[in-house]
Amino acid sequence: MNKIKAIIFDYDGVIAESVNVKTEAFAELYKPYGTDIVQKVIKHHEANGGVSRFEKFKIYHKKYLREDINQLKVDELANKFSNLVLQKVIDSPYVIGVFDFISSNYRNYDFHISTGTPTGEIETILKRKSLRKFFKDVYGSPEKKDSHVKKILKKYSYNKNEVVFIGDALSDRDAARNNDIFFIGRYTTVKEIKKEKLLINDFSEIENILKKITTNERI
């Protein structure tokens, strides 16, 4: 039997229905370069949820605009992006059932956040939504999720079969795989996530999935 002690949550698309907010912000920033560039940016962004916006700006400028971009320009774009998304993410509705699950179970499990959103920004979002008190640790970009999970495992000396990562992106799945912990996928835009053995549409299903893990039921 696996006794789950810790759950790591992605934020966009797992706690809040805020994925489209980020998509619209990328579209807005690259709108001056034309429709074709915007479509390429959106396609890449949706296929690579959880990857830091800092990394994406470098990719989009080099791959689609054939421009090298310096850190000053990356930071300028990141600030514009943050201004576009912050309040909209805060205002985004919760994924069904997630608030009840978190607020009812934060004493039963250690909850952590691992997101591609910059650390300062996700801290602001959690505080503004009165969620911060439920999470032991909050990790964001520019550090990668793989590193977030490693730090959490080391800091709390969890056994790997005691930890679950709930995410909706390949970066979430890969962070879980690379650290040999359980992964529960929430299917949104990435078809590969739908192939996972443990899947939820929303948090009305989470207790049954956790039960499967704890009882080793066909996983």
Side-chain angles (χ1 to χ4, degrees), residues 134-153:
F134 300 129
F135 296 95
K136 288 190 170 293
D137 290 304
V138 174
Y139 291 97
S141 65
E143 193 173 33
K144 294 182 191 275
K145 295 186 178 187
D146 200 8
S147 179
H148 298 167
V149 177
K150 281 183 173 63
K151 283 188 172 182
I152 291 167
L153 291 172

Side-chain angles (χ1 to χ4, degrees), residues 44-89:
H44 180 277
H45 166 66
E46 290 184 339
N48 293 276
V51 175
S52 153
R53 66 192 64 165
F54 301 97
E55 289 184 55
K56 286 180 176 177
F57 292 138
K58 293 174 185 176
I59 291 168
Y60 300 156
H61 271 66
K62 189 166 186 67
K63 188 173 180 181
Y64 304 140
L65 304 179
R66 309 295 183 205
E67 295 177 6
D68 285 319
I69 184 171
N70 60 31
Q71 193 58 46
L72 192 65
K73 181 66 174 176
V74 169
D75 291 341
E76 179 187 326
L77 286 168
N79 285 334
K80 287 180 180 178
F81 191 95
S82 184
N83 289 335
L84 286 170
V85 303
L86 181 60
Q87 190 57 49
K88 289 180 181 178
V89 171

Side-chain angles (χ1 to χ4, degrees), residues 114-126:
S114 171
T115 176
T117 300
T119 301
E121 190 175 305
I122 190 62
E123 286 278 9
T124 298
I125 291 164
L126 293 171

Side-chain angles (χ1 to χ4, degrees), residues 94-107:
Y94 287 115
V95 171
I96 291 171
V98 73
F99 182 79
D100 288 343
F101 175 73
I102 289 171
S103 60
S104 300
N105 287 282
Y106 74 100
R107 291 188 179 93

